[in-house]
Amino acid sequence: MSATFVGMPAFPEAARRALENTQQRHNLAHATGTIRDKRAAVVAEVDDWEALRLAGAAIKDQTLRHLDDHLVALEAALQERGATVHWARDAEEACRIVADVARAHDVDEVVKVKSMATQEIGLNEALEAEGISAWETDLAELIVQLGDDLPSHILVPAIHRNRSEIREIFRSAMGEVGRPAPDPLSDDPADLAGAARLHLREKFLRARMAVSGANFAVAETGTLVVVESEGNGRMCLTLPEVLVSVVGIEKVVPTWQDLEVFLQLLPRSSTGERMNPYTSTWTGAVPGDGPQEVHVVLLDNGRTRALADEMGRQALRCIRCSACLNVCPVYERTGGHAYGSVYPGPIGAILNPLLKGTGVDEQTDSLPYASSLCGACFEACPVRIDIPSVLVELRGQVVDAHRGGVPKPEAVAMRGAGWVLSSSARTARSERAAAFAGRLLNRLPGGRRQGDRRVLGSIPMPGAGSAWSQARDVPVPATESFRDWWSRTDGGEDES
Ligand code: SF4
């Protein structure tokens, strides 16, 4: 797969291009609408949904507060049960660890369970550079991989594709990397799933090594947990001899009791199901049962940077359910590619700048602005991440990162307004000057009225300002300031 997010333009440019794709907009509106309705129905069934959300947020916050202790406990529990634990500071280290394990076992292909962490670090591309093929086994990930495409949704990476597009991808690409698609092949979902099943089965049976992520890592026993819907994860986690799991350090939960809360929140928020069809748990290596060599790569890659951000650290509560994407009016129109990352939508708009830092590149800096701040994401989030507040905070950080040099007209105007408004005397003088200007302007002939107020019409402004000013009429300033009106009428008592 050669498609890459590297070099993607900033969000406004990428969004403009995406909006021209009417087929994609149609596919997205249909898919997100369907998932939204399913989620709303199953969430409404749970009387204590709000209490569950609060519990999920509290468990995550408490765990993040003592993350170092929980990670050390997780490492000890994993090692006690025969797993090898690796620590990876960044994407490069994590990819190298996985490639080293593959080389040590002389394998040239691995099967993969859908994993956001491995996509984040670009593992498939890194393995490909080492001559190792990484086969995605989740149906949607398979569609993206065969189509030489990029994922556009956390949970449904091929959400931008419809059935007939998928059929064409299967027909043209499956034969190049394994068992070809049956001929003829209809675009009936059952037929498409059947083709994928046959294609993947030979890979499951042949592969000696698998790579996964984990939805959760239970520190008290060293147990990793993967939730999925297709059974491909179960095949990868049980058949191969060697299993490597790349796990973000924020995935740790202290106990099984904590896990119970998330196993209720996740399926309802993600696929709109009461329970997900497959929940796989494994604890180290068990002689004669499943992979006999188990490696766990604990991945930082910017997570400790996010943890240090007082407002932004709540993003590490995320359980990757994608509910925020499905309710976001911006995501629904632009799709995921416009965000230039494996993490699109509202969570991507905060997670990417938190992991990478602000002021580093234009594309990342554009993401906190990819929102109308409507707040739908916060309402939908099962762990109550206040995405709008984090977006506002990050916008401030982006502005701070670009301070210096020639100030923009807006900055000069704001500084001037700040100087005037910071003094009561200056504010009063400016109000009187505005009232005087208002009286003069009211005497001029012509002009228009809006209600009982004259308007000056639009004022030509340079650059981006013209788009704003041309759509607005500037009113003539009030002929009397509020303070003057107050003292003249004694607070409205002597109004005449
Ligand atoms: S931010 Fe919340 S709603 Fe969005 S993916 Fe993460 S947990 Fe789900």
Side-chain angles (χ1 to χ4, degrees), residues 154 318-325 347 377 380-383 385 387:
I154 290 176
C318 177
I319 55 174
R320 310 284 191 263
C321 70
S322 74
C324 57
L325 277 66
I347 183 60
C377 47
C381 179
V383 284
I385 300 174
I387 294 177

Side-chain angles (χ1 to χ4, degrees), residues 43 170 189 197 271 277:
V43 163
F170 279 8
R197 192 177 296 122
T271 48

